[in-house]
Amino acid sequence: MAESAFSPAQWQRRVLFWSGAILVGLAAVGFAKAADHAYALFQSIVRHNGYWPFLLTPLTFALLAWLTQGALRPTRGSGIPQAIAALKLEDTSFRDTLLSLRMAIGKMGLTLAALAGGASIGREGPTVHVGAGLLYSLGRRFGAHDAAASSRFILAGSAAGLAAAFNTPLAGVVFAIEEMTGAFEHRMSGILLTAVIIAGVVSLGILGNYAYFGRFDIGLPLGKAWLAVLATGTVCGLAGGLFARLIIPSEGGLRGLVGRIRKRQPVVFAAVCGLVLVALSQLTNEGLYGTGYDQAKAILEGHTSTVEAFGLLKFCANIASYWAGIPGGIFSPALAVGAGLGANLSAFLPDAGLSAVVLLGMAAYLAGVTQAPLTAAVISMELTANQQMILPIMAACLLARATSSLVCRKPVYRALADTLIENHVRIDAEARAKEVAILPVVDATRPDKKSGIAE
């Protein structure tokens, strides 16, 4: 007999979701404020002496690489692949490894340390990881032990995390549908919407009603100006696909070489990546550190002192930070790269305004990296509180998705999630094989009572 919608068990699940969503909202807001303070600390050090990053950044990268060699290894990278992998593989031990409360706390702490050391990373991906971990841990703590129930907690926590991180509630729902699951089940609609609304209300209550980059009154008139859609969709889509391809592990080529070096000397390799980031930053006026939020906003507003090659340099800085194997997301840094590339393209598109081309570049590059055009379009619209650009943004994102797939066949988050699953399955199979191999040896050492062999 079906359980009543008003039964005590159903109300217990609702209270768990509501409490978890509040917790995720508070964690996202606290994490955002702490991230701002951590990066401000780094900036104050740089202002005091521009040579300090040559020591501080490589040391931070090396320390984080060392700390994440053992139990904290799942805190590496964005965090979104971990949430997707936990959602796809219904294995309790695997989920506990990726989404435990210890991982959530570790993810926040190590990401803050990376920002304080100048890493070119974002906090939005880690917030998704933290949101999934908090709701999953809460559900497990209060009896949601079956795989289906755990999946709902993971999905709702991920969506709430992204919504609260960017203050983009609609993008949180779209992200969960397009990126996390690839499908939409009717029974999940209420759970997702409730979690996103509650986390969003918490963020709204503390930070107020704001747009991430501010409110922009931007438009793109029909006609020659729409060439900007073609240009940004093609160029930024290809660039995003290249970035995704470079960070997905591979056995051969440059990625294979990087993987082998990192495996042999992870700490030294991370330090070298930090040094490369600092060296690249010397080619700019404001550096390539942090999320790139300030530079992206300045470019979007049309008054910036960043160098013309900022988009390309930030692209390389993001690669260096990700290859180091440290915790940190790629969402905000991707928007900064897209802004830089959009500014470059605007010089060839006089019929389209600078801000319009920059916004298209941000959306298209993000779509190229993630190959999730709907999520990229909705995020870009909500980040600037702009609805006039929704049609050209969607067109650019769709084109970017198509061109990105020419370079990188598989969406980056799903490819990284599959790598996590494959590694887990391989390690588990090896462990089982060792157990089987040991058993005959143990049995052979036992006394054979029938043959009369003495102990």
Side-chain angles (χ1 to χ4, degrees):
M1 189 174 181
E3 197 173 56
S4 170
F6 299 99
S7 67
Q10 287 285 4
W11 275 109
Q12 183 185 24
R13 292 193 192 99
R14 291 190 186 101
V15 171
L16 273 178
F17 272 113
W18 298 339
S19 303
I22 292 172
L23 186 61
V24 171
L26 291 172
V29 172
F31 191 24
K33 288 184 172 293
D36 290 341
H37 286 302
Y39 184 55
L41 174 62
F42 176 79
Q43 288 179 307
S44 67
I45 294 173
V46 174
R47 284 194 296 269
H48 182 265
N49 190 320
Y51 292 103
W52 269 111
F54 281 100
L55 177 65
L56 178 60
T57 302
L59 280 178
T60 301
F61 276 43
L63 177 62
L64 291 172
W66 178 73
L67 288 173
T68 56
Q69 287 299 303
L72 290 174
R73 190 179 185 86
T75 63
R76 287 182 172 185
S78 163
I80 294 176
Q82 286 86 335
I84 293 175
L87 197 61
K88 290 178 68 174
L89 186 62
E90 295 181 350
D91 182 301
T92 301
S93 63
F94 182 60
R95 287 178 166 180
D96 288 344
T97 300
L98 296 180
L99 301 178
S100 67
L101 195 57
R102 179 177 65 177
M103 286 304 120
I105 296 172
K107 187 76 171 185
M108 286 193 288
L110 296 179
T111 302
L112 293 176
L115 287 169
S120 179
I121 58 169
R123 58 170 172 80
E124 289 75 25
T127 306
V128 170
H129 192 181
V130 170
L134 289 177
L135 260 182
Y136 171 76
S137 299
L138 188 66
R140 294 278 294 171
R141 172 66 179 81
F142 290 97
H145 296 298
D146 63 287
S150 295
S151 295
R152 295 188 189 102
F153 277 95
I154 294 169
L155 188 58
S158 301
L162 184 72
F166 274 125
N167 192 32
T168 52
L170 183 57
V173 176
V174 174
F175 167 78
I177 298 169
E178 184 180 38
E179 192 68 75
M180 294 294 296
T181 64
F184 190 61
E185 298 180 27
H186 176 70
R187 67 175 180 271
M188 285 300 299
S189 60
I191 293 171
L192 275 177
L193 289 172
T194 303
V196 167
I197 289 169
I198 293 175
V201 167
V202 171
S203 176
L204 184 67
I206 299 175
L207 300 178
N209 186 17
Y210 74 101
Y212 188 76
F213 282 114
R215 299 178 183 276
F216 288 83
D217 186 19
I218 305 171
L220 193 71
L222 284 174
K224 290 183 179 180
W226 272 66
L227 288 173
V229 173
L230 179 62
T232 54
T234 303
V235 175
C236 297
L238 287 171
L242 178 60
F243 176 84
R245 185 179 177 86
L246 287 173
I247 67 173
I248 295 174
S250 174
E251 295 296 328
L254 176 62
R255 292 175 293 164
L257 176 63
V258 168
R260 289 190 293 273
I261 296 174
R262 184 169 56 195
K263 188 175 181 180
R264 291 194 198 104
Q265 296 290 339
V267 176
V268 174
F269 181 75
V272 171
C273 287
L275 191 60
V276 169
L277 170 59
V278 178
L280 289 171
S281 292
Q282 304 309 303
L283 303 176
T284 70
N285 300 323
E286 300 174 358
L288 302 167
Y289 311 109
T291 63
Y293 170 84
D294 293 332
Q295 293 93 330
K297 185 175 182 181
I299 294 172
L300 194 58
E301 292 173 343
H303 50 79
T304 176
S305 59
T306 56
V307 296
E308 291 185 0
F310 173 77
L312 176 61
L313 292 172
K314 187 65 174 175
F315 177 95
C316 297
N318 294 347
I319 292 288
S321 295
Y322 199 94
W323 275 358
I326 62 175
I330 60 177
F331 254 101
S332 288
L335 293 171
V337 173
L341 295 178
N344 296 144
L345 290 172
S346 68
F348 304 96
L349 300 164
D351 295 304
L354 170 65
S355 296
V357 181
V358 170
L359 182 56
L360 287 173
M362 292 165 67
Y365 183 77
L366 183 60
V369 171
T370 63
Q371 294 191 15
L374 190 55
T375 300
V378 172
I379 281 181
S380 301
M381 180 186 70
E382 290 191 289
L383 290 181
T384 55
N386 183 291
Q387 295 182 353
Q388 301 177 59
M389 289 285 291
I390 187 59
L391 288 179
I393 284 175
M394 289 180 68
C397 288
L398 284 172
L399 182 57
R401 167 67 176 86
T403 55
S404 173
S405 64
L406 298 175
V407 182
C408 184
R409 297 298 179 90
K410 195 171 187 178
V412 63
Y413 289 135
R414 293 188 178 277
L416 294 172
D418 288 344
T419 299
L420 289 172
I421 293 172
E422 289 165 7
N423 289 339
H424 171 75
V425 171
R426 176 180 53 79
I427 292 171
D428 190 54
E430 290 174 356
R432 291 177 183 274
K434 286 181 181 179
E435 289 178 2
V436 172
I438 290 171
L439 284 175
V441 177
V442 174
D443 291 339
T445 59
R446 287 184 173 182
D448 188 341
K449 294 183 179 179
K450 290 183 179 180
S451 62
I453 298 175
E455 292 188 17

